[in-house]
Each structure stands twice: as C-alpha cells, then as structure tokens.
C-alpha cells in the first residue's frame, strides 16, 4: 500500500506559531519510489512507415526512330522520392526568383555630379542677386547636371541553398507527373539532320509543345540539327535543364538515361511496398 504524499498539517500549524513557516523535514516527505514509465524502442528508421512508399508508374512512349512500336502496355517505375514529392509552391517561388535574378544584367548606370563634365566654378555669388543660391553647373537641381542616387552597375544574383534547389527540381518533376504531362522513352537517337522527317514524327506522336531532355553529356548532333528549326519544340540535357524550363514547357519528355540521372542525383533511400524483407521486419514488430 502506497503511503500518503500529503504533508503533516499539524507540523505546519506548530511551525507558524512564531510567525514563520519552516520547511518540511526530509523525514516527513513521502518515501515512495517514483513510477517508471516504460517506453518501447522505436523501430529502425529503415522500416518505418514514412520510408515505405509506392513507386510511380508512367506509360512508356514510343521512341522517335520507331514511332509505330507498341508501347501502350509498357510501364516505367519511377523513384517516388523524385517524381512523387509533395507540391511546394513556396519552394518553386524561391527557385524561380533565384533563376530570374541571375538573368538580370545590372548594367544601368547614371553619372553623379562628380562624373558630369564641366567646370566647378560657382554660377553666381552667394548673396546680392536675390535669387536662389547655386553652386556649380553639375548640381542635380539643374538641367544637364548629375543624378542624385541614380542606378549604378550591380549584381542582382541571389544565393539559394543547394538542397532547396534540389527540392525545387523534385517538385517541378512531380508536378509534371501529377498533371500527366511527363513522358519517358527509351532513347532519343535520330539518324539524320533532316527537319522535315523529324517534324512529321513528332506530329504523329502528338509531342508538340514538348521539351525533350536527354541524359547524354551533350545533345546528339543529328538530333540538335534536325530539331532546332521546329517551332514549339526544344531539346536539352539533364545536366543543363533548370526549374524554370521544366515549369515553362507544357510537356516534358525524358529518355532512360535522363531518368537515371535524376534518380541518382535527386533520389533518397526508400523502401518499396513490394520488398519482402521489409514486410517481414514490420510483421515482427
């Protein structure tokens, strides 16, 4: 049976006779051991529910060289940490402002009164004329004088953490998947530099207003030569593409190497729901 933790009131009454209250002695305190709260150990971070996600499936688009191949029943499994990121409009806002700030030239320049050509002689005496007092002809108050607090060449570029830019890339790619405006094809090889044939192939596949992103170090020469004269179509590499281009183009098309590049550079470790060891580990908890 637990002892009462209420202090002895009679001792308090006796201690107040002389006008002051004495502290309780240790012998009057309850000698009860505190109750221990048992907290179970959390599961390892590798098998928590937050790290178990489903992959994103996107239909495979026919390649440019073989537009008639059957790709309707083929699906591509994408990394959900890259292509299924929560949409963050604030992150996109920061990344777009960061990119647009870097485009500003900052070359506006005006001359101050010390840079305007002319003599430094005082225009008229300080007193006696009855008119306003003036100094030299380069005063900002006068026509042809300098500019007070005018623009000078400056750097408008801003800094943004690398991880914020990476998150912006994930959000931009995820938004295209959510809008069903992201496609994947095996390769973007093109045999010749004829614009006529490539334009016909793109029209037959319904890929107008599309940005093609290849995972190669450089855009293939024949593809670059054939596609540069086609309106409403662009091509770039996965290393050169930015968030502004991903959001500007209505549709984005990746090849297999570009998907691998984004998953390796932007992906995070995760456990799929199809992994048997993870399910067995969770069942033991």
């Amino acid at each position: 049976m637990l002892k009462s933790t209420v202090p002895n009131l009679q001792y308090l009454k006796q201690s107040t006779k002389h006008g002051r209250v004495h502290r309780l002695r240790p012998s009057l305190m309850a000698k009860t051991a505190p109750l221990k709260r048992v907290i179970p150990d959390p599961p390892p971070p590798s098998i928590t529910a937050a790290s178990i996600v489903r992959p994103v499936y996107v239909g495979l688009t026919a390649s440019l060289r073989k537009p008639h191949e059957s790709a309707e029943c083929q699906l591509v499994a994408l990394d959900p940490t890259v292509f299924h990121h929560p949409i963050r409009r604030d992150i996109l806002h920061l990344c777009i402002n960061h990119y647009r700030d870097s485009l500003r030239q900052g070359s506006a320049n005006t001359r101050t009164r010390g840079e305007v050509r002319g003599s430094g002689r005082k225009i008229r005496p300080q007193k006696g004329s009855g008119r306003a007092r003036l100094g030299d002809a380069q005063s900002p108050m006068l026509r042809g004088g300098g500019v007070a607090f005018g623009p000078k060449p400056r750097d408008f570029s801003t800094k943004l953490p690398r991880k914020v830019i990476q998150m912006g890339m994930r959000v931009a790619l995820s938004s295209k998947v959510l809008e069903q405006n992201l496609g994947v094809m095996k390769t973007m090889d093109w045999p010749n530099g004829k614009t006529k044939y490539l334009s016909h192939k793109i029209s037959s596949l319904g890929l107008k207003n599309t940005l093609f992103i290849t995972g190669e170090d450089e855009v293939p020469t024949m593809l670059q030569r054939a596609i540069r004269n086609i309106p409403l179509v662009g091509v770039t590499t996965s290393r050169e593409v930015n968030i502004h281009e991903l959001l500007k183009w209505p549709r984005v098309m990746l090849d297999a190497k570009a998907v691998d590049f984004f998953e390796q550079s932007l992906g995070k470790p995760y456990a799929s729901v199809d992994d048997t060891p993870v399910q067995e580990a969770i069942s033991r908890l």
Side-chain angles (χ1 to χ4, degrees), residues 24 36 41 48 70 93 96 116 132 134 178 203 206 247 258 271-272 280:
L24 295 178
K36 295 183 178 181
D41 296 334
T48 55
S70 177
H93 176 75
I96 292 299
V116 176
L134 290 176
L178 186 63
S203 299
L247 298 178
S272 176
E280 293 177 355

Side-chain angles (χ1 to χ4, degrees), residues 100 232 270:
R100 291 173 64 90
L232 303 179
Y270 76 99

